[in-house]
Amino acid sequence: MQLIDGKSLANRVQGDVAKGVEKLKQEKNIVPGLAVILIGDDPASHAYVKMKAKACEKVGFYSITHNMPDTISQSEIIATIEMMNQNPRIDGILVQLPLPKHVDTDMILEVIAPHKDVDGFHPFNVGRLVTGLDGFVACTPLGVMKMFEAYDIDLEGKDVCVVGASNIVGKPMSSLLLNANATVTTTHIYTKDLKSHTLAADIVIVGVGVPSLIKEDMVRDGAIVIDIGINRIEDGSLVGDVDFHSVSKKCSFITPVPGGVGPMTIAMLLSNTLKSARKREI
Ligand code: NAD
């Protein structure tokens, strides 16, 4: 079994982004800029935004965080996004999810200018992904693709089972795999016999939010298992959606939690923001 080390790979990607930032500064006098909109007091969201801001600083980005109370109106959030759409120093806009219940998330995400949508959630970019055109792709599934590339894992013709079908994880993951010529089965909470699908797969990718959903008897010998899940359990520790201890014994490759897909998500956010800055018109 080989561990896919997301932490080291993410550091490598961040190093490449930092070099790209330096080059862009020298050649075009452009400093990539990321705006983060954070609403409410959710501790996990605050922790993620803090990590993103720190990563921005490390690679030499300009970054700003708009911290708003959860009583903020939808129109005030829209006004802030529109201001960022117009701000020439900003190349990427990220709205930290989840949003408070009174806010229409789909509507908010559509206000972000598609060319600054570094999270890849705008329907414009989702449509480009599905049709195989260049655009911004959601950071977590993009990070998983980067892992496959880094570990020379060929996807063409492989049977891949994606467990979880959310707009931010499972669906873009399935589209990317299909674009890479894999045979993709997307499963979700209504799937009748999950085990029959995971057992038939060469590669199992799980992003659900249920600790230890994937057990030893659900994967075949030599399978590749990618665990996107992040769950905080009672003792305070972080675990994925895969029962790592037992499943890892059967795998050819597996990602740990923490230290697997998680760090890749931030690295791909930086990479998407640099990509946007390179297209900035000056
Ligand atoms: P979500 O709740 O939006 O979607 C969960 C999906 O899992 C749904 O499609 C649902 O149908 C499916 N599902 C739920 N229970 C299931 C079951 N028992 N069997 C099969 N399918 C089931 O969640 P999300 O935002 O997509 O996040 C999923 C997980 O990924 C969470 O643990 C989240 O913390 C994690 N996540 C990690 C990163 C990262 O950077 N590593 C990024 C985003 C999300």
Side-chain angles (χ1 to χ4, degrees):
M1 180 274 291
Q2 194 179 344
L3 209 58
I4 298 183
D5 183 351
K7 209 172 162 191
S8 306
L9 181 57
N11 278 336
R12 240 160 56 210
V13 173
Q14 290 199 20
D16 291 343
V17 170
K19 280 186 207 144
V21 172
E22 205 42 56
K23 194 161 174 259
L24 203 56
K25 274 185 200 166
Q26 277 170 13
E27 289 176 359
K28 293 191 179 171
N29 201 23
I30 288 177
V31 176
L34 178 71
V36 178
I37 294 168
L38 171 62
I39 299 160
D41 303 318
D42 177 50
S45 292
H46 275 259
Y48 287 135
V49 168
K50 212 169 153 189
M51 282 195 301
K52 287 169 188 173
K54 211 169 141 193
C56 282
E57 197 184 321
K58 214 169 147 193
V59 296
F61 282 5
Y62 162 68
S63 80
I64 41 178
T65 302
H66 291 273
N67 208 328
M68 299 168 163
D70 57 9
T71 49
I72 193 111
S73 71
Q74 184 151 307
S75 56
E76 281 171 287
I77 303 170
I78 290 174
T80 305
I81 295 173
E82 281 171 347
M83 208 166 67
M84 294 300 107
N85 284 342
Q86 299 303 324
N87 186 335
R89 290 188 72 188
I90 295 299
D91 301 288
I93 302 169
L94 179 156
V95 177
Q96 185 65 43
L97 302 179
L99 294 177
K101 286 201 172 65
H102 69 278
V103 179
D104 181 341
T105 301
D106 293 335
M107 188 196 232
I108 293 292
L109 295 178
E110 278 201 65
V111 177
I112 299 171
H115 68 285
K116 295 191 178 186
D117 171 40
V118 287
D119 249 346
F121 296 159
H122 193 291
F124 176 89
N125 284 311
V126 175
R128 291 188 72 87
L129 168 62
V130 172
T131 40
L133 296 171
D134 183 46
F136 290 116
V137 176
C139 302
T140 301
L142 190 60
V144 174
M145 295 303 279
K146 191 84 188 168
M147 286 174 148
F148 289 138
E149 189 193 304
Y151 282 80
D152 279 327
I153 295 169
D154 187 21
L155 295 168
E156 201 166 274
K158 294 279 157 57
D159 290 319
V160 186
C161 179
V162 177
V163 188
S166 69
N167 288 339
I168 65 169
V169 177
K171 284 187 202 164
M173 189 73 252
S174 294
S175 292
L176 283 166
L177 293 161
L178 196 54
N179 291 348
N181 299 326
T183 302
V184 187
T185 304
T186 309
T187 60
H188 43 76
I189 187 86
Y190 299 107
T191 298
K192 270 189 253 155
D193 182 4
L194 180 62
K195 184 174 165 181
S196 68
H197 296 288
T198 55
L199 258 183
D202 301 308
I203 303 174
V204 179
I205 304 178
V206 198
V208 165
V210 177
S212 300
L213 177 72
I214 304 300
K215 300 192 167 54
E216 188 185 359
D217 63 345
M218 293 172 77
V219 299
R220 65 157 76 145
D221 280 327
I224 295 168
V225 175
I226 307 290
D227 191 352
I228 297 175
I230 302 177
N231 310 290
R232 198 169 287 282
I233 55 171
E234 274 168 22
D235 68 5
S237 61
L238 287 183
V239 297
D241 292 342
V242 175
D243 181 11
F244 184 87
H245 181 69
S246 64
V247 173
S248 60
K249 289 178 190 150
K250 293 181 84 175
C251 293
S252 53
F253 289 92
I254 189 165
T255 60
V257 178
V261 179
M264 291 305 294
T265 300
I266 294 188
M268 299 328 284
L269 171 70
L270 301 173
S271 173
N272 277 352
T273 306
L274 176 62
K275 174 178 168 171
S276 176
R278 283 184 173 137
K279 292 184 181 165
R280 195 195 286 186
E281 289 182 6
I282 44 169

